């Protein structure tokens, strides 16, 4: 659930840290005590009056550093009798850190800000859920129509407007879309080896990560079916940033690929069972009808209608 600072309408004024206005707001908090740090959270928009804020410029600058270190989105301050102006040291620190500080006019109530921001967050969350459902339907339609890795990879590449590569755990490419266009960038960033394998760090990564290496920004998601992992998906950022619905599409694609891999394993297990049973019947002499033997062998992909030598071996036990 995301909201950006543009949702705080004038007459509020950004007095410092304007380059950080892209930060995402996921929750809101009101500073009521001086020792607020234990209660703040990442991506939070903190509102405060001058009453609980530190009284010295050094302490206010240190507060900005502490809030930024904890990943807060911004600080909104309502000036008044307790604090008439924000000191230069505090504003300079905010500019250095690109941490937005917003001057909230006296006549604007915190309840109005909370109501407006929460409404925006809920609306955005609803849009994200609708987009997630749409993406889910797209991938499920591919699978139900008999599509596999190539079709899923191609569709994901279209959705994120970037290159997509499906890898096994050793970095070998199983399927790709748009890889040729970004191969040079991946090689320069040290992500593409001479043997064609893609090196993306820890093979045991359990969740979706956004990585940046050598000027290349990409996202990595594991392909999991229960406790079994079937590889990973690497999405390389194109014109669209890898955020919001792009990451949702990546995770849905990983889920669908895991389902497809589990299906292929089940089919392979059944085929091997048929092959094993057929071979056992042949070697035991139960099958004597040549036409039946050739028909069954063709259904398993074997060509027995040619000269063959049969070797039966017994493994030595050590």
């Amino acid at each position: 659930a995301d909201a950006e600072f543009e949702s705080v309408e004038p007459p509020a004024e950004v007095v410092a840290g304007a380059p950080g206005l892209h930060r995402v707001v996921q929750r809101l908090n009101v500073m009521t005590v001086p020792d607020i740090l234990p209660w703040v959270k990442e991506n939070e928009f903190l509102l405060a009056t001058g009453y609980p804020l530190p009284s010295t410029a050094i302490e206010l600058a240190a507060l900005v550093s502490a809030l930024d270190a904890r990943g807060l989105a911004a600080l909104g301050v309502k000036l008044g009798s307790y604090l008439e102006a924000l000191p230069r040291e505090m504003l300079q620190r905010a500019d250095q850190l690109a941490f937005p500080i917003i001057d909230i006019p006296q006549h604007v109530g915190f309840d109005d800000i909370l109501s407006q921001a929460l409404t925006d967050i809920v609306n955005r969350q609803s849009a994200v859920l609708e987009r997630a459902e749409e993406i889910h339907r797209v991938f499920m339609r591919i699978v139900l129509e008999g599509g596999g890795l190539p079709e899923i990879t191609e569709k994901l590449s279209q959705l994120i407007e970037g290159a997509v590569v499906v890898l096994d755990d050793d970095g070998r490419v199983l399927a790709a879309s748009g890889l040729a266009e970004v191969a040079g960038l991946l090689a320069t960033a040290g992500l593409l080896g001479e043997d064609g394998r893609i090196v993306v760090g820890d093979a045991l990564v359990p969740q979706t990560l956004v990585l940046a290496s050598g000027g290349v920004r990409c996202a990595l998601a594991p392909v999991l079916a229960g406790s079994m992992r079937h590889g990973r998906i690497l999405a390389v950022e194109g014109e669209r940033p890898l955020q919001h619905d792009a990451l949702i599409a990546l995770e849905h694609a990983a889920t669908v690929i895991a389902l497809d891999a589990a299906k292929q394993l089940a089919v392979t297990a059944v085929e091997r069972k048929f092959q094993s049973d057929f071979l056992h019947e042949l070697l035991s002499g139960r099958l004597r009808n040549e036409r039946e033997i050739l028909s069954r062998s063709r259904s398993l992909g074997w060509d027995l209608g040619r000269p063959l030598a049969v070797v039966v071996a017994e493994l030595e036990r050590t």
Side-chain angles (χ1 to χ4, degrees), residues 126-285:
S126 176
V128 167
L129 291 174
E130 290 179 5
R131 179 59 173 161
E133 179 63 24
E134 177 186 351
I135 291 170
H136 176 73
R137 287 196 299 268
V138 167
F139 285 121
M140 289 305 297
R141 189 180 305 118
I142 291 175
V143 174
L144 293 174
E145 292 175 356
L149 275 182
E151 292 79 10
I152 296 171
T153 305
E154 178 64 27
K155 176 55 68 175
L156 178 59
S157 178
Q158 294 172 6
L159 288 172
I160 70 169
E161 298 179 19
V164 173
V165 186
V166 181
L167 311 167
D168 66 10
D169 281 341
D170 293 325
R172 287 185 289 262
V173 177
L174 303 177
S177 178
L179 178 57
E181 289 80 356
V182 298
L185 291 175
L186 293 177
T188 302
L191 299 177
L192 181 62
E194 294 181 359
D195 59 357
R197 299 190 186 192
I198 294 181
V199 183
V200 283
D202 183 10
L204 300 178
V205 57
Q207 72 272 339
T208 303
L209 294 177
V210 178
L211 313 169
S213 177
V216 178
R217 194 165 180 269
C218 52
L220 184 67
V223 178
L224 298 170
S227 60
M228 183 177 295
R229 200 174 72 177
H230 300 283
R232 292 169 292 173
I233 304 180
L234 180 71
V236 182
E237 187 173 78
E239 294 297 325
R240 287 184 62 192
L242 283 173
Q243 58 185 16
H244 303 312
D245 60 339
L247 295 180
I248 291 174
L250 180 65
E251 293 177 355
H252 276 285
T255 300
V256 173
I257 290 174
L259 292 174
D260 183 68
K263 180 189 71 175
Q264 295 301 327
L265 286 177
V267 171
T268 300
V270 172
E271 289 178 346
R272 286 179 178 172
K273 177 67 166 56
F274 287 147
Q275 292 171 354
S276 177
D277 291 345
F278 179 53
L279 186 59
H280 184 268
E281 290 180 11
L282 279 176
L283 296 177
S284 65

Side-chain angles (χ1 to χ4, degrees), residues 30-36 46-55 59-60 63 75 77-78 82-83 110:
V30 177
M31 183 175 181
T32 57
V33 294
D35 185 19
I36 190 63
L46 181 63
L47 300 170
T49 63
Y51 179 73
L53 288 173
S55 58
E59 289 175 321
L60 285 168
L63 176 64
L75 173 66
V77 180
K78 182 182 288 190
Y82 296 101
L83 184 65
F110 282 175

Side-chain angles (χ1 to χ4, degrees), residues 278 290-300:
F278 179 53
E290 183 178 342
R291 181 176 295 179
E292 180 186 354
I293 292 173
L294 293 178
S295 175
R296 289 181 61 180
S297 69
R298 283 192 295 269
S299 70
L300 295 174

